[in-house]
Amino acid sequence: MKKLQTIQEVLTFINESHLAFLYVSQEDCSVCHSLRPKLIELLKNYSKIELREVEAEKVKEISAEYLVFSAPTLLFFVDGKEYIREGKFVQFKKLTESIEQIYSFEESQM
């Protein structure tokens, strides 16, 4: 998973990707490290979703720009608009259902 290093990279990624999934983590977060491979595996089923990671302590502006105050935080955008926000203890069944609903709708529109 590619890491974004600046808030400008984050903004560009979200605004230029039709389906953008942003994973906000912290280096010293054990939940972040255990969630990361599960998220990567889940998104393999959705080839049109682009996934990027940003480390909150390295890109401090992420908190103000997207109101992210804890890690991990998962943000899913469609055409720059936030559709899904999950944090801390992610329920993968619920997340999968939400992604599937949006993804299947987007597929039917193409």
Side-chain angles (χ1 to χ4, degrees):
M1 174 182 343
K2 183 179 179 205
K3 289 189 181 183
L4 303 175
Q5 305 296 327
T6 67
I7 194 64
Q8 189 56 51
E9 286 182 4
V10 172
L11 294 169
T12 300
F13 167 66
I14 290 168
N15 291 319
E16 292 183 359
S17 302
H18 174 57
L19 300 172
F21 203 108
L22 187 64
Y23 181 58
V24 183
S25 66
Q26 287 187 325
E27 193 173 323
D28 61 349
C29 169
S30 60
V31 175
C32 297
H33 294 296
S34 66
L35 190 64
R36 190 175 191 268
K38 293 176 187 175
L39 181 62
I40 291 169
E41 190 62 32
L42 170 64
L43 292 181
K44 284 181 181 177
N45 298 315
Y46 305 98
S47 61
K48 293 185 172 95
I49 297 176
E50 294 190 52
L51 174 63
R52 299 291 185 276
E53 181 175 1
V54 61
E55 292 182 8
E57 69 273 6
K58 291 183 181 173
V59 183
K60 295 186 186 322
E61 302 92 341
I62 197 77
S63 295
E65 190 69 35
Y66 293 102
L67 303 175
V68 172
F69 302 109
S70 63
T73 299
L74 289 67
L75 303 170
F76 182 43
F77 299 86
V78 178
D79 292 329
K81 184 174 188 257
E82 183 181 316
Y83 275 77
I84 297 174
R85 174 181 290 254
E86 291 285 332
K88 281 285 184 194
F89 303 104
V90 178
Q91 297 176 16
F92 264 83
K93 184 176 182 194
K94 180 182 170 227
L95 177 63
T96 303
E97 289 169 359
S98 299
I99 291 171
E100 183 61 39
Q101 185 177 16
I102 294 167
Y103 195 82
S104 60
F105 176 77
E106 289 298 314
E107 288 271 294
S108 70
Q109 299 299 308
M110 295 178 163

